[in-house]
Amino acid sequence: VFLAGDAAHLVIPTGGLGMNTGVGEAIDLGWKLWGTLAGWGGRELLPAYDAERRPIGARNVAASRYAADGRRVWRSMLKPWIAEDSDRGSAHREEIRSVTDVEQRKTNEMIGIELAYRYVGSPLIVDEPGGPDPNAIVYLPSSWPGARLPHVWLADSSAPQDRIADGFTLFSLRGSIDDSAMRNAFARLGAPYTKLAIDDAHARDVYGCSLMLLRPDLHIAWRGEAPPANVDAIARRVTGHDA
Protein backbone atom coordinates (compact mmCIF):
# COMPACT_ATOMS: atom_id res chain seq x y z
CA VAL A 1 0.00 0.00 0.00
CA PHE A 2 1.37 3.41 -0.97
CA LEU A 3 0.09 6.70 0.41
CA ALA A 4 0.34 10.02 -1.41
CA GLY A 5 -1.03 13.53 -1.07
CA ASP A 6 -3.43 14.36 1.76
CA ALA A 7 -3.68 10.67 2.64
CA ALA A 8 -0.02 10.80 3.66
CA HIS A 9 0.25 14.21 5.31
CA LEU A 10 -1.88 17.13 6.43
CA VAL A 11 -0.38 20.36 5.14
CA ILE A 12 -1.52 23.73 6.46
CA PRO A 13 -2.84 25.66 3.43
CA THR A 14 -0.57 28.63 4.11
CA GLY A 15 2.13 28.67 1.46
CA GLY A 16 0.20 26.46 -0.95
CA LEU A 17 2.48 23.45 -0.55
CA GLY A 18 -0.05 20.63 -0.26
CA MET A 19 -0.93 20.22 -3.95
CA ASN A 20 2.69 20.48 -5.10
CA THR A 21 3.79 17.92 -2.52
CA GLY A 22 1.11 15.51 -3.66
CA VAL A 23 2.01 15.96 -7.32
CA GLY A 24 5.66 15.26 -6.50
CA GLU A 25 4.64 12.04 -4.79
CA ALA A 26 2.49 10.94 -7.72
CA ILE A 27 5.38 11.52 -10.13
CA ASP A 28 7.86 9.68 -7.90
CA LEU A 29 5.56 6.71 -7.36
CA GLY A 30 4.36 6.68 -10.96
CA TRP A 31 7.66 5.84 -12.61
CA LYS A 32 8.46 3.26 -9.94
CA LEU A 33 5.16 1.50 -10.60
CA TRP A 34 5.88 1.66 -14.33
CA GLY A 35 9.28 0.01 -13.88
CA THR A 36 7.88 -2.68 -11.62
CA LEU A 37 4.93 -3.55 -13.85
CA ALA A 38 7.08 -3.44 -17.01
CA GLY A 39 9.58 -5.84 -15.45
CA TRP A 40 12.75 -3.72 -15.54
CA GLY A 41 12.45 -2.43 -11.99
CA GLY A 42 14.30 -4.26 -9.24
CA ARG A 43 12.85 -5.35 -5.91
CA GLU A 44 14.17 -2.22 -4.18
CA LEU A 45 12.50 0.20 -6.60
CA LEU A 46 9.09 0.52 -4.94
CA PRO A 47 10.40 0.55 -1.34
CA ALA A 48 12.54 3.55 -2.30
CA TYR A 49 9.35 5.61 -2.63
CA ASP A 50 9.12 5.96 1.15
CA ALA A 51 12.84 6.68 1.52
CA GLU A 52 12.65 9.49 -1.03
CA ARG A 53 9.33 11.14 -0.33
CA ARG A 54 8.83 10.83 3.44
CA PRO A 55 11.62 13.36 4.26
CA ILE A 56 10.26 15.77 1.65
CA GLY A 57 6.73 15.47 3.03
CA ALA A 58 7.95 16.15 6.57
CA ARG A 59 9.99 19.13 5.34
CA ASN A 60 7.01 20.61 3.50
CA VAL A 61 4.67 20.18 6.45
CA ALA A 62 7.19 22.02 8.62
CA ALA A 63 7.47 24.77 5.99
CA SER A 64 3.71 25.29 5.90
CA ARG A 65 3.72 25.59 9.68
CA TYR A 66 6.56 28.11 9.43
CA ALA A 67 4.49 30.15 6.97
CA ALA A 68 1.35 29.99 9.10
CA ASP A 69 3.25 31.08 12.21
CA GLY A 70 4.57 34.10 10.29
CA ARG A 71 1.06 35.15 9.36
CA ARG A 72 -0.13 34.74 12.93
CA VAL A 73 2.54 37.16 14.15
CA TRP A 74 1.28 40.23 12.32
CA ARG A 75 -2.40 39.32 12.61
CA SER A 76 -2.08 39.03 16.39
CA MET A 77 -0.78 42.60 16.51
CA LEU A 78 -3.85 44.23 14.91
CA LYS A 79 -5.55 46.85 17.06
CA PRO A 80 -9.05 48.36 16.62
CA TRP A 81 -7.55 51.76 15.78
CA ILE A 82 -5.57 50.56 12.76
CA ALA A 83 -7.90 52.43 10.36
CA GLU A 84 -8.04 55.65 12.37
CA ASP A 85 -7.01 58.90 10.74
CA SER A 86 -4.85 59.76 13.72
CA ASP A 87 -1.27 59.67 14.90
CA ARG A 88 -1.78 56.39 16.72
CA GLY A 89 -3.53 54.91 13.67
CA SER A 90 -0.68 55.99 11.42
CA ALA A 91 1.94 54.65 13.83
CA HIS A 92 0.14 51.34 14.16
CA ARG A 93 -0.15 50.93 10.39
CA GLU A 94 3.58 51.52 10.05
CA GLU A 95 4.26 48.99 12.81
CA ILE A 96 2.10 46.39 11.06
CA ARG A 97 3.69 47.19 7.70
CA SER A 98 7.23 46.68 9.01
CA VAL A 99 6.38 43.39 10.73
CA THR A 100 4.37 42.13 7.78
CA ASP A 101 7.26 42.89 5.44
CA VAL A 102 9.20 40.25 7.36
CA GLU A 103 6.57 37.74 8.43
CA GLN A 104 4.33 37.60 5.34
CA ARG A 105 7.34 36.74 3.18
CA LYS A 106 7.40 33.38 4.94
CA THR A 107 4.20 32.58 3.04
CA ASN A 108 5.07 33.97 -0.39
CA GLU A 109 8.81 33.44 -0.68
CA MET A 110 9.46 29.71 -0.25
CA ILE A 111 10.47 28.79 -3.77
CA GLY A 112 13.32 26.70 -2.37
CA ILE A 113 10.79 24.34 -0.79
CA GLU A 114 9.22 23.60 -4.16
CA LEU A 115 12.30 23.54 -6.37
CA ALA A 116 15.41 22.96 -4.27
CA TYR A 117 14.59 19.61 -2.69
CA ARG A 118 16.69 16.57 -3.50
CA TYR A 119 16.58 12.93 -2.50
CA VAL A 120 19.44 12.80 -0.02
CA GLY A 121 20.48 9.27 0.85
CA SER A 122 18.18 7.65 -1.70
CA PRO A 123 19.11 4.03 -2.47
CA LEU A 124 18.46 4.83 -6.15
CA ILE A 125 20.92 7.72 -6.38
CA VAL A 126 24.69 7.57 -6.91
CA ASP A 127 25.34 10.17 -4.26
CA GLU A 128 28.37 12.35 -3.70
CA PRO A 129 29.73 13.34 -0.30
CA GLY A 130 28.72 16.76 0.95
CA GLY A 131 26.19 18.68 -1.06
CA PRO A 132 24.39 21.99 -0.55
CA ASP A 133 22.11 22.39 2.42
CA PRO A 134 18.43 22.71 1.45
CA ASN A 135 17.30 26.34 1.47
CA ALA A 136 13.59 26.94 1.91
CA ILE A 137 13.69 30.53 0.70
CA VAL A 138 16.33 30.81 -2.03
CA TYR A 139 16.52 28.49 -5.01
CA LEU A 140 19.98 27.96 -6.45
CA PRO A 141 20.01 25.63 -9.49
CA SER A 142 22.03 22.51 -8.74
CA SER A 143 22.91 19.29 -10.55
CA TRP A 144 23.81 17.55 -7.31
CA PRO A 145 22.66 13.91 -7.44
CA GLY A 146 19.12 13.62 -6.14
CA ALA A 147 18.06 17.09 -7.32
CA ARG A 148 15.55 17.63 -10.09
CA LEU A 149 17.06 18.88 -13.34
CA PRO A 150 16.96 22.70 -13.16
CA HIS A 151 15.41 24.66 -15.99
CA VAL A 152 17.78 26.47 -18.33
CA TRP A 153 17.36 28.07 -21.73
CA LEU A 154 19.56 26.41 -24.34
CA ALA A 155 21.17 28.27 -27.22
CA ASP A 156 18.21 27.51 -29.51
CA SER A 157 15.76 28.95 -26.91
CA SER A 158 14.43 25.52 -26.00
CA ALA A 159 14.42 23.89 -22.57
CA PRO A 160 16.06 20.47 -22.10
CA GLN A 161 12.98 19.18 -20.28
CA ASP A 162 11.04 19.47 -23.55
CA ARG A 163 13.61 17.37 -25.40
CA ILE A 164 14.01 14.51 -22.94
CA ALA A 165 12.30 11.23 -23.81
CA ASP A 166 10.59 8.84 -21.39
CA GLY A 167 12.78 6.52 -19.37
CA PHE A 168 16.39 7.10 -18.34
CA THR A 169 18.42 9.70 -20.24
CA LEU A 170 22.14 10.31 -20.44
CA PHE A 171 22.26 14.08 -20.93
CA SER A 172 25.54 15.19 -22.52
CA LEU A 173 26.36 18.90 -22.63
CA ARG A 174 29.51 18.39 -24.68
CA GLY A 175 27.81 17.04 -27.76
CA SER A 176 28.01 13.46 -28.96
CA ILE A 177 29.85 10.93 -26.80
CA ASP A 178 30.27 7.17 -26.87
CA ASP A 179 27.52 5.93 -24.58
CA SER A 180 27.45 2.36 -25.89
CA ALA A 181 28.51 0.88 -22.53
CA MET A 182 25.76 2.73 -20.68
CA ARG A 183 23.21 1.88 -23.35
CA ASN A 184 24.10 -1.82 -23.17
CA ALA A 185 23.92 -1.81 -19.37
CA PHE A 186 20.32 -0.57 -19.43
CA ALA A 187 19.50 -2.90 -22.32
CA ARG A 188 20.59 -5.89 -20.24
CA LEU A 189 17.98 -4.87 -17.67
CA GLY A 190 15.34 -4.13 -20.29
CA ALA A 191 15.08 -0.55 -19.00
CA PRO A 192 14.21 2.33 -21.37
CA TYR A 193 17.24 4.49 -22.16
CA THR A 194 18.13 7.30 -24.56
CA LYS A 195 20.93 9.82 -25.01
CA LEU A 196 20.42 13.55 -25.40
CA ALA A 197 23.56 15.25 -26.72
CA ILE A 198 23.77 19.05 -26.77
CA ASP A 199 26.91 21.17 -26.82
CA ASP A 200 25.91 24.18 -24.70
CA ALA A 201 28.43 26.17 -22.64
CA HIS A 202 25.77 28.17 -20.78
CA ALA A 203 24.01 25.02 -19.61
CA ARG A 204 27.34 23.55 -18.47
CA ASP A 205 27.95 26.69 -16.41
CA VAL A 206 24.52 26.42 -14.75
CA TYR A 207 24.67 22.68 -14.12
CA GLY A 208 28.36 22.58 -13.22
CA CYS A 209 28.98 19.32 -15.06
CA SER A 210 28.99 17.82 -18.54
CA LEU A 211 27.13 14.53 -18.08
CA MET A 212 24.00 13.67 -16.10
CA LEU A 213 22.01 10.48 -15.90
CA LEU A 214 18.38 11.45 -15.52
CA ARG A 215 15.63 9.25 -14.14
CA PRO A 216 12.13 9.18 -15.67
CA ASP A 217 11.08 11.79 -13.09
CA LEU A 218 13.97 14.07 -14.24
CA HIS A 219 15.85 13.72 -10.97
CA ILE A 220 19.60 13.38 -11.41
CA ALA A 221 20.77 9.89 -10.54
CA TRP A 222 24.46 10.35 -11.44
CA ARG A 223 26.69 13.07 -12.86
CA GLY A 224 30.27 13.40 -14.05
CA GLU A 225 32.63 14.74 -16.68
CA ALA A 226 33.21 11.47 -18.54
CA PRO A 227 31.23 8.25 -19.02
CA PRO A 228 31.61 6.10 -15.90
CA ALA A 229 33.51 2.82 -15.89
CA ASN A 230 31.05 0.99 -13.64
CA VAL A 231 28.03 1.33 -15.89
CA ASP A 232 26.42 -1.96 -14.86
CA ALA A 233 26.58 -1.05 -11.17
CA ILE A 234 25.04 2.35 -11.86
CA ALA A 235 22.26 0.96 -14.06
CA ARG A 236 21.37 -1.68 -11.49
CA ARG A 237 21.38 0.83 -8.66
CA VAL A 238 19.16 3.43 -10.30
CA THR A 239 16.63 0.77 -11.39
CA GLY A 240 16.40 -0.74 -7.90
CA HIS A 241 18.29 -3.98 -8.49
CA ASP A 242 21.28 -3.32 -6.22
CA ALA A 243 20.03 -0.62 -3.87
Side-chain angles (χ1 to χ4, degrees), residues 22-94:
V23 169
E25 287 155 359
I27 292 172
D28 188 85
L29 182 57
W31 79 269
K32 292 177 171 64
L33 287 169
W34 169 32
T36 301
L37 295 173
W40 53 260
R43 63 181 182 180
E44 301 298 332
L45 188 59
L46 281 174
Y49 169 69
D50 184 80
E52 291 187 344
R53 290 304 304 180
R54 183 184 291 268
I56 304 303
R59 175 176 178 247
N60 292 2
V61 168
S64 68
R65 184 181 300 112
Y66 168 81
D69 287 345
R71 182 172 292 186
R72 290 191 188 101
V73 169
W74 66 264
R75 285 186 171 183
S76 67
M77 296 173 58
L78 295 176
K79 304 298 183 184
W81 53 85
I82 188 171
E84 282 185 2
D85 184 12
S86 62
D87 288 344
R88 74 170 184 172
S90 178
H92 186 45
R93 287 191 293 275
E94 175 57 28

Side-chain angles (χ1 to χ4, degrees), residues 85-236:
D85 184 12
S86 62
D87 288 344
R88 74 170 184 172
S90 178
H92 186 45
R93 287 191 293 275
E94 175 57 28
E95 178 188 30
I96 295 296
R97 185 208 62 78
S98 63
V99 173
T100 302
D101 189 47
V102 174
E103 299 297 336
Q104 186 63 23
R105 292 180 186 275
K106 296 177 180 180
T107 296
N108 303 326
E109 298 180 1
M110 292 197 298
I111 192 170
I113 285 291
E114 299 183 61
L115 297 179
Y117 69 90
R118 60 188 180 93
Y119 296 139
V120 180
S122 167
L124 307 180
I125 298 293
V126 183
D127 208 351
E128 300 175 15
D133 292 330
N135 191 314
I137 307 301
V138 179
Y139 171 57
L140 297 175
S142 170
S143 67
W144 207 275
R148 193 174 188 276
L149 181 70
H151 175 275
V152 65
W153 291 118
L154 301 172
D156 63 358
S157 299
S158 68
Q161 284 85 349
D162 294 331
R163 300 171 64 173
I164 295 170
D166 294 337
F168 292 88
T169 303
L170 185 63
F171 186 13
S172 169
L173 291 165
R174 293 194 179 277
S176 184
I177 61 168
D178 181 6
D179 71 321
S180 57
M182 182 75 78
R183 183 180 301 276
N184 291 337
F186 278 94
R188 282 189 283 273
L189 298 171
Y193 168 90
T194 57
K195 178 181 70 175
L196 175 61
I198 301 171
D199 193 347
D200 194 297
H202 171 63
R204 288 197 302 272
D205 289 341
V206 173
Y207 294 140
C209 64
S210 298
L211 291 174
M212 291 172 285
L213 178 63
L214 306 176
R215 310 188 320 184
D217 61 355
L218 299 187
H219 280 261
I220 300 161
W222 168 90
R223 68 174 181 173
E225 292 299 322
N230 56 336
V231 290
D232 282 298
I234 291 177
R236 292 183 64 82

